[in-house]
Amino acid sequence: MFSQNNAEFSSELCESLGDIAKQSCQLYLKASAFHNTWIFLNASGTISNITEHFINTVATYREFLETASTFLSHKATDKPIVLLAAGICALLASSLILIYILICLFKEILIWRENLTGIKENHYSLNLDEIFIMLCVFLHLFSLGGSSMVEEEQYTWHFFASTLYLIFLYTNLRALLVAENPDHSCKMKEGENTHHSFKNSARYNFDLSENRVSLWTEISRKYFKILCLLVVLICGRILRGWHQGGVNWSHLPDISTWLQKSGVSYIKAFQIASMFLTIILSSFSLLVQSLTSLFLVGILMGYFISGLLILLYVFPTIMASSYLDNSIHKIFYVILLIMVITVLASPWFVSLSYKKTTWTAEFGLKSSVDFITQNVITLGIQNCSYLIGAVFTSSWCLLQLLLQHPFNVMPMSLLLLQLYASCAYFIIDGTFRKQWVEVAAMYFLGMAGHFSLGNSNSIATVDVAGAFTGLSSHSMVLSGILMFVITHASSLLHSFGMIMPSSGPDNSELIHNLAARLGFRCLIPLILNSATLTSFTIILLIMRDHLFVWSVFTPKYLYICAATFSIYIGILVIAATYLYVSSIVFFRIRMAGHGVRDS
């Protein structure tokens, strides 16, 4: 009775399945029936037809196994094409929407500049750096279709970043030659980019009371910009040689391998040097700002205590107390949290004043109360965002010195030096460069730095050991967060660096200033990441039957998804910081009225 009920239930189940599954189920029932008959005949001692039933049973089971194997293989490889196509269409739609918003932002800023300066500009003219960035985006998307290019992606980003900054260097060297030979510059065509860049530099960027900047000051600034670019390129070359990475050339020697073979003493020496370099850079980034002594001393003390904790972590034998050794990370996290909270209070205390510039003198805006108010708000937003961005980047780098593998702490310090040199170059750059180029350059540095820390598109390079640093007990959530923080340290560092201001006129209208500074910092990383995510989703769908789909393309897709999450975090921090600072500065101006201090 039980066997009959079971057979009836199995028959009903077969009717509800698909064709292949139904066929497999029917073959199983048939084989089971032959098997039961053979068992019954064998138990009853009937010799006739027992061999025939045995052969039929084996043949039916074999046919069932072949059909079931085919069904399971299709079940594992067949994808819901309709759902995948709908997802890809959604990704394409989001990318097109972001590009459309960016184009609208471009048009709005260009129209505003033409109305303010009275200079008609060619909307379709592109500089060499802009053309190169667009070419890099298409080359990167095209390279994702090859498994070897995915495995060796670090070379792609190192080439993009270094070549872009070489283009910056070439442009500045050419402008320097023009500045040192004014007679030659007069013979140049009026529409040439170098001469136009030099005019804009003297007209738009320098906040001096006089209408004309001395040639010596102009040349000195250009030399300093060239020095910043050289620092970026030299640091990039050192970072390029720190880890070989990839597959084909991973056996070649690099700096990290040399450190591991040299011994623990060399690694600790590099850790201490990295700690001092990070603290010096962090302190210098604050000293260039005019801050109140109490605020400055508080942040510098936080840097000093953080460095001391790192020193105790590197040399645990200095303090015999095991309790202090186990509490270093907790104390370190508290110090960083206090510094972040302190700098977030800076918009309430930073001095707000009005600066007379060549813009106000040239366009007759000096006596406009509304323009002065907008000038004060804009300068206050720039100063506060610089402070917050500097403390965020410094705190993030100090955190990485504690979490990263010991031979990766020096690359983090070099990345911070590279970031500050880039920010210094963009801040003093007087060409009124399209700000999307600056954001794209920072994005390129962040991606190149990601591979400089030893990461690759293989899951095997994830620093799992570092994810348990400072944890007294196992926690999957905390370990996952630390693993994410360690893996995407470079991209988040450069996202925080985008909070600091860049080049461009300081006395623009408030709404246009926020649109330019906040819009580009949010849209450009989103568009670049969205293009990569959409393209690689299509590539992964095409390569679903590729030999390396599980070893190359799938891990890369996981990295892209994690990078998308890091981009969202960075954009959220940037947007929240700018909106917070803008609201506080605007509130202070409204409370104080128009009686701002003239400087």
Side-chain angles (χ1 to χ4, degrees), residues 325-396:
D325 183 65
N326 295 330
S327 304
I328 286 179
H329 294 84
K330 297 178 181 179
I331 300 174
F332 189 86
Y333 297 151
V334 171
I335 295 297
L336 292 186
L337 181 61
I338 293 175
M339 286 196 298
V340 170
I341 294 176
T342 302
V343 76
L344 288 177
S346 63
W348 295 98
F349 304 104
V350 172
S351 175
L352 301 177
S353 60
Y354 165 64
K355 286 187 178 181
K356 300 175 183 178
T357 68
T358 55
W359 281 67
T360 59
E362 185 172 355
F363 297 109
L365 300 172
K366 181 178 179 180
S367 59
S368 174
V369 176
D370 292 335
F371 184 84
I372 292 176
T373 304
Q374 291 190 6
N375 175 272
V376 174
I377 296 176
T378 301
L379 293 176
I381 292 173
Q382 290 183 13
N383 292 334
C384 295
S385 61
Y386 175 86
L387 290 177
I388 295 176
V391 174
F392 277 11
T393 53
S394 301
S395 302
W396 184 259

Side-chain angles (χ1 to χ4, degrees), residues 484-533:
F484 178 83
V485 167
I486 294 172
T487 304
H488 296 278
S490 177
S491 59
L492 288 173
L493 175 67
H494 288 83
S495 296
F496 297 153
M498 293 181 192
I499 299 176
M500 291 186 283
S502 58
S503 64
D506 292 336
N507 296 336
S508 58
E509 296 180 6
L510 178 62
I511 186 64
H512 293 98
N513 186 282
L514 287 177
R517 297 188 184 278
L518 182 57
F520 287 126
R521 283 162 172 77
C522 294
L523 286 175
I524 297 302
L526 278 177
I527 290 176
L528 294 176
N529 182 81
S530 180
T532 303
L533 180 62

Side-chain angles (χ1 to χ4, degrees), residues 453-471:
L453 295 175
N455 297 305
S456 69
N457 289 324
S458 173
I459 304 297
T461 56
V462 176
D463 188 5
V464 180
F468 297 94
T469 304
L471 298 181

Side-chain angles (χ1 to χ4, degrees), residues 135-149:
L135 181 63
C136 288
V137 173
F138 287 105
L139 287 177
H140 178 245
L141 298 180
F142 180 76
S143 68
L144 294 177
S147 60
S148 297
M149 295 296 293

Side-chain angles (χ1 to χ4, degrees), residues 127-130 132-133 136 157-175 225-237 418 422 425-426 433 437 441 444-445:
N127 296 329
L128 181 59
D129 50 10
E130 298 170 338
F132 178 75
I133 290 175
C136 288
W157 286 113
H158 285 300
F159 170 76
F160 288 166
S162 60
T163 306
L164 179 60
Y165 277 83
L166 282 174
I167 293 175
F168 292 159
L169 182 62
Y170 164 77
T171 305
N172 282 272
L173 288 175
R174 190 180 180 190
K225 289 193 296 182
I226 292 174
L227 178 62
C228 293
L229 293 174
L230 290 176
V231 169
V232 174
L233 290 170
I234 293 173
C235 291
R237 184 61 189 92
Q418 201 177 41
S422 299
Y425 167 72
F426 292 138
R433 185 186 312 278
V437 175
F444 284 8
L445 289 180

Side-chain angles (χ1 to χ4, degrees), residues 101-246:
I101 296 174
L102 182 64
I103 293 174
C104 294
L105 181 61
F106 271 130
K107 291 182 179 179
E108 183 70 20
I109 292 177
L110 287 174
I111 293 173
W112 163 73
R113 286 178 59 186
E114 290 178 356
N115 294 335
L116 187 62
T117 62
I119 301 175
K120 286 289 184 180
E121 299 184 7
N122 186 3
H123 294 187
Y124 302 99
S125 63
L126 294 175
N127 296 329
L128 181 59
D129 50 10
E130 298 170 338
I131 297 174
F132 178 75
I133 290 175
M134 294 181 180
L135 181 63
C136 288
V137 173
F138 287 105
L139 287 177
H140 178 245
L141 298 180
F142 180 76
S143 68
L144 294 177
S147 60
S148 297
M149 295 296 293
V150 172
E151 291 174 340
E152 309 296 340
E153 190 181 2
Q154 69 273 6
Y155 297 105
T156 302
W157 286 113
H158 285 300
F159 170 76
F160 288 166
S162 60
T163 306
L164 179 60
Y165 277 83
L166 282 174
I167 293 175
F168 292 159
L169 182 62
Y170 164 77
T171 305
N172 282 272
L173 288 175
R174 190 180 180 190
L176 181 62
L177 293 176
V178 173
E180 292 180 343
N181 298 278
D183 296 335
H184 176 70
S185 64
C186 295
K187 298 178 183 179
M188 298 178 62
K189 294 181 179 180
E190 184 177 356
E192 193 161 353
N193 290 336
T194 306
H195 179 64
H196 183 65
S197 172
F198 179 65
K199 282 179 60 181
N200 286 339
S201 176
R203 185 177 183 181
Y204 300 126
N205 194 57
F206 298 110
D207 294 331
L208 299 176
S209 59
E210 300 177 357
N211 294 332
R212 182 172 297 178
V213 183
S214 65
L215 183 62
W216 174 251
T217 304
E218 170 70 9
I219 294 176
S220 300
R221 286 177 176 264
K222 289 186 178 295
Y223 274 117
F224 184 75
K225 289 193 296 182
I226 292 174
L227 178 62
C228 293
L229 293 174
L230 290 176
V231 169
V232 174
L233 290 170
I234 293 173
C235 291
R237 184 61 189 92
I238 297 175
L239 291 169
R240 163 64 187 82
W242 205 272
H243 289 281
Q244 281 296 336

